């Protein structure tokens, strides 16, 4: 009986499409274990977990290798340090899955992260599914995860300020682009709160999409392009992704003058796309955001006394 149940479980896994999860890894030895464990604990089990070690020197790469020895779903790629975009691109070129998700190596996902997003893709015949996320300082991340698990995801829309009454919302990619940076901006830009049909990145409406190597704010530069290559996008109000805020991370550096200059440059490039598409509502949304960032940038330059210039 036990052997029969095991065979049935294997058959069920084989019917589930392979989903690849790409994780760029760099200098995160204190966090990579918690990240990988949250992926190994997924209720959706037919996974390929690609850990791309981007030239770590703190032992992160060795920890990745230990997970690969322990679970055959984990694959490790070691490369010279080239940045997160190059690491994601390496994963995209090597992945074998029909669907792909991205995750930062210091973050954590809930056990049903993949199961819920894949279920939404199937239910709505969509190309992209996105969940809400929670930003957590390191010291409170575990408590936040336990809270989300205990309350249950069906109740989580109340914790995001009642942004919408719908537990899930499906729209065409054009609809989402036309309201960009509006009501659903929390779901839009990040690459890590989504599950994608791989074909969207390999040959969507804008051709093959890869992340810009050598640039910062790679999500700002690519998220709208990826959506434009999709047919439908579905959003869930459930918070399934825990985004760690830690000292030294790019999130904590985001208010430095240099990175703010990069942010303004990326926003201008994104605005060109919306202007050319004549998505005027989205363009105006972005313009307002750009002007606010520009004012903050000027204030930072004044306060820090740095001779920075816009790129």
């Amino acid at each position: 009986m036990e052997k029969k149940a095991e065979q049935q479980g294997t058959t069920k896994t084989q019917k589930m499409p392979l989903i690849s999860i790409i994780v760029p890894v760099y200098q995160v030895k204190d966090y990579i274990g918690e990240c990988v464990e949250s992926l190994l604990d997924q209720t959706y089990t037919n996974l390929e977990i690609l850990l791309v070690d981007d030239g770590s020197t703190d032992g992160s790469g060795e920890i990745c290798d230990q997970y690969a020895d322990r679970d055959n779903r984990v694959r490790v790629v070691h490369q010279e340090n080239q940045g997160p975009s190059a690491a994601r691109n390496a994963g995209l070129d090597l992945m074998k899955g029909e669907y792909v998700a991205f995750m930062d190596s210091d973050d954590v996902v809930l056990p049903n992260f993949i199961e819920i997003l894949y279920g939404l893709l199937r239910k709505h015949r969509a190309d992209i599914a996105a969940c809400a996320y929670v930003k957590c300082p390191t010291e409170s991340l575990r408590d936040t995860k336990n809270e989300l698990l205990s309350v249950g995801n069906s109740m989580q829309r109340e914790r995001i300020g009642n942004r919408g009454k719908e537990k899930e919302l499906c729209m065409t990619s054009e609809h989402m682009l036309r309201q960009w940076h509006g009501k659903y901006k929390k779901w839009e830009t990040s690459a890590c709160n989504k599950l994608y049909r791989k074909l969207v990145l390999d040959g969507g409406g804008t051709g093959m999409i890869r992340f810009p190597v050598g640039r910062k704010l790679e999500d700002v530069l690519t998220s709208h392009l990826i959506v434009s290559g999709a047919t439908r996008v579905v959003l869930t109000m459930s918070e399934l992704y825990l985004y760690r805020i830690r000292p030294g991370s790019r999130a904590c550096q985001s208010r430095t003058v240099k990175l703010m200059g990069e942010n303004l440059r990326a926003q201008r490039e994104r605005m060109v796309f919306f202007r050319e598409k004549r998505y005027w509502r989205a363009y105006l949304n972005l313009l307002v955001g750009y002007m606010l960032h520009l004012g903050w940038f000027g204030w930072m330059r004044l306060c820090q006394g740095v001779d920075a210039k816009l790129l």
Side-chain angles (χ1 to χ4, degrees):
M1 180 68 76
E2 184 177 342
K3 186 175 182 180
K4 183 178 180 181
E6 183 179 340
Q7 290 174 342
Q8 289 176 342
T10 302
T11 302
K12 182 179 179 181
T13 300
Q14 290 173 343
K15 290 181 180 179
M16 301 160 66
L18 179 65
I19 293 177
S20 301
I21 305 175
I22 298 172
V23 186
V25 177
Y26 182 68
Q27 308 294 68
V28 284
K29 71 173 184 178
D30 293 333
Y31 310 108
I32 184 60
E34 194 173 3
C35 170
V36 177
E37 291 288 350
S38 74
L39 294 176
L40 295 177
D41 288 342
Q42 288 298 297
T43 53
Y44 188 104
T45 57
N46 195 20
L47 300 175
E48 174 191 48
I49 302 169
L50 274 166
L51 306 178
V52 184
D53 172 29
D54 192 40
S56 298
T57 58
D58 68 341
S60 298
E62 288 78 0
I63 295 174
C64 293
D65 290 332
Q66 292 171 12
Y67 276 105
D69 291 338
R70 171 180 141 188
D71 194 306
N72 60 13
R73 295 176 297 172
V74 179
R75 295 172 59 198
V76 181
V77 179
H78 297 282
Q79 64 180 33
E80 294 183 1
N81 179 245
Q82 301 174 62
S85 287
R88 286 180 181 175
N89 292 343
L92 285 169
D93 293 339
L94 293 170
M95 63 170 283
K96 300 176 181 179
E98 184 179 343
Y99 300 87
V100 59
F102 301 100
M103 186 173 178
D104 288 342
S105 53
D106 54 352
D107 293 342
V108 170
V109 290
L110 296 194
N112 52 0
F113 170 67
I114 293 294
E115 181 181 2
I116 287 179
L117 294 185
Y118 174 66
L120 290 172
L121 288 183
R122 289 195 61 188
K123 176 181 177 180
H124 296 280
R125 297 183 180 179
D127 294 317
I128 303 172
C131 67
Y133 59 85
V134 187
K135 291 185 177 181
C136 308
T138 294
E139 58 272 15
S140 64
L141 186 142
R142 188 165 297 179
D143 290 339
T144 303
K145 179 181 178 181
N146 291 336
E147 178 188 350
L148 291 172
L149 289 172
S150 63
V151 171
N153 280 299
S154 63
M155 303 295 293
Q156 293 314 309
R157 65 176 182 270
E158 295 180 5
R159 300 189 64 252
I160 57 175
N162 291 317
R163 290 178 181 267
K165 294 181 180 180
E166 311 91 344
K167 183 182 177 183
E168 59 194 51
L169 176 67
C170 185
M171 65 185 84
T172 64
S173 60
E174 182 176 354
H175 182 114
M176 186 169 188
L177 289 169
R178 285 186 180 279
Q179 65 81 52
W180 199 264
H181 212 61
K183 183 177 180 181
Y184 302 107
K185 65 181 179 180
K186 182 173 182 179
W187 286 261
E188 293 169 350
T189 300
S190 174
C192 293
N193 64 328
K194 298 176 177 68
L195 179 64
Y196 309 85
R197 192 181 299 275
K198 176 64 161 34
L199 290 175
V200 172
L201 291 124
D202 282 349
T206 55
M208 180 176 286
I209 298 172
R210 291 296 182 265
F211 295 92
V213 178
R215 294 287 304 275
K216 298 183 185 298
L217 288 307
E218 63 277 358
D219 291 355
V220 173
L221 292 165
T222 55
S223 53
H224 54 289
L225 301 178
I226 298 173
V227 169
S228 70
T231 54
R232 285 180 292 277
V233 180
V234 58
L235 313 178
T236 174
M237 308 298 138
S238 298
E239 293 171 324
L240 306 173
Y241 192 99
L242 277 68
Y243 182 52
R244 187 191 303 267
I245 304 297
R246 62 185 175 89
S249 68
R250 283 193 295 172
C252 288
Q253 298 169 0
S254 63
R255 292 189 176 182
T256 64
V257 169
K258 183 176 180 180
L259 195 56
M260 287 186 71
E262 287 277 358
N263 185 22
L264 290 171
R265 179 186 174 191
Q267 287 192 52
R268 289 198 302 274
E269 293 180 24
R270 180 170 61 173
M271 287 165 64
V272 169
F273 168 88
F274 287 94
R275 187 176 67 237
E276 291 178 347
K277 291 284 188 181
R278 297 182 180 273
Y279 295 157
W280 298 118
R281 179 183 172 189
Y283 178 77
L284 290 174
N285 288 342
L286 290 167
L287 181 61
V288 170
Y290 178 81
M291 296 305 294
L292 291 172
H293 278 89
L294 186 62
W296 181 250
F297 180 85
W299 176 254
M300 289 292 289
R301 286 181 61 189
L302 181 64
C303 290
Q304 295 186 14
V306 176
D307 183 21
K309 62 181 180 180
L310 296 180
L311 301 178

